[in-house]
Amino acid sequence: MTIEKPLSEVQLPPIGDPRIRFYLDHQQAIHTWAQLREDANQALHDLLLDLVDVLANDASSLPDGDDIEVRADTDDLRKPRIVIARRRWIDRGKATAAIVIEWGRHVIDEHGEATLFVGVRAGERGRRNQAVSTELSRLGPRMRSDLGGPPWQREDDSFPVWRWVLPEGTGIDEVAWMGQIRDAAWRCWEVASDHIDRIIRDET
């Protein structure tokens, strides 16, 4: 078939959804910017590891600061964490229980959501002291009540008390976020550390 005269303009309605319109008009720039997520995640991961020094300095100012260890645990790269524990809670390099700041392999996931939480971690799966874990779970409601808002939650034996700590607003002010994380960790320490200390002393 040979077309001998120019075709008329296609008579189809344009896509009217403004969100889709924006994407179609800017899709190359959107994909270019989206590729920066990996770099941003690495920068946030590094900043969280830098927070260890800030927390260690905080710990040194506490009355029992010499007995508090703050360290990064990146053995499992899927779930890096910062561990805050009394030295006597640590057995063969791992804390029987601790206050932790934990995030995902990607601090910001593919949906653009933060994946960081603070809580009481009851040891390591596979080598957990079940008596300590059970007692911490029993005290979970009391600790959550003492912690107050934002709401703290119970997940399972690993985390009898925990909560998400998310950036405020639509963007990420990383310095302000680190401040939120720091405050949540020390608030958790203030409420939970004496319970942890007593339980570990009684059960080990």
Side-chain angles (χ1 to χ4, degrees):
M1 173 182 170
T2 301
I3 299 175
E4 297 182 352
K5 62 179 181 177
L7 296 174
S8 60
E9 183 178 344
V10 173
Q11 298 298 310
L12 293 173
I15 295 171
D17 187 320
R19 299 167 306 141
I20 296 174
R21 182 74 268 147
F22 181 87
Y23 176 82
L24 293 175
D25 290 345
H26 301 92
Q27 58 92 14
Q28 289 187 343
I30 288 169
H31 284 276
T32 298
W33 283 104
Q35 291 172 22
L36 289 174
R37 185 168 66 90
E38 287 298 322
D39 293 338
N41 270 323
Q42 185 62 52
L44 289 169
H45 174 84
D46 293 344
L47 196 61
L48 283 160
L49 297 183
D50 289 343
L51 190 60
V52 171
D53 292 335
V54 175
L55 295 166
N57 186 61
D58 291 340
S60 70
S61 69
L62 297 176
D64 55 352
D66 290 345
D67 186 43
I68 300 173
E69 180 175 302
V70 181
R71 61 182 171 85
D73 181 350
T74 56
D75 289 348
D76 184 351
L77 292 177
R78 297 170 304 164
K79 294 182 178 179
R81 66 181 70 111
I82 296 170
V83 178
I84 308 173
R86 296 195 193 280
R87 298 186 193 284
R88 58 183 171 272
W89 303 351
I90 298 171
D91 177 35
R92 290 173 291 172
K94 294 293 184 180
T96 303
I99 308 304
V100 299
I101 299 164
E102 189 166 307
W103 57 98
R105 184 169 65 89
H106 299 298
V107 185
I108 306 300
D109 68 17
E110 64 272 17
H111 305 294
E113 297 176 351
T115 58
L116 182 142
F117 60 88
V118 170
V120 176
R121 183 178 179 89
E124 302 289 330
R125 185 171 283 111
R127 53 180 291 188
R128 177 173 296 121
N129 183 314
Q130 196 56 50
V132 170
S133 176
T134 298
E135 184 62 10
L136 283 170
S137 290
R138 187 186 70 78
L139 286 172
R142 176 179 172 181
M143 289 190 285
R144 289 193 294 276
S145 175
D146 290 345
L147 283 161
W152 294 74
Q153 310 190 31
R154 183 190 188 284
E155 185 181 61
D156 56 24
D157 287 347
S158 295
F159 293 96
V161 175
W162 69 280
R163 78 170 175 88
W164 297 110
V165 182
L166 307 178
E168 296 177 348
T170 55
I172 297 177
D173 178 336
E174 68 279 11
V175 175
W177 190 26
M178 295 302 120
Q180 290 175 251
I181 295 163
R182 175 194 190 187
D183 291 348
W186 287 122
R187 176 63 181 146
C188 195
W189 174 272
E190 179 184 351
V191 167
S193 60
D194 285 347
H195 292 303
I196 296 171
D197 203 35
R198 176 188 58 76
I199 292 166
I200 289 178
R201 187 173 58 247
D202 291 348
E203 300 293 344
T204 57

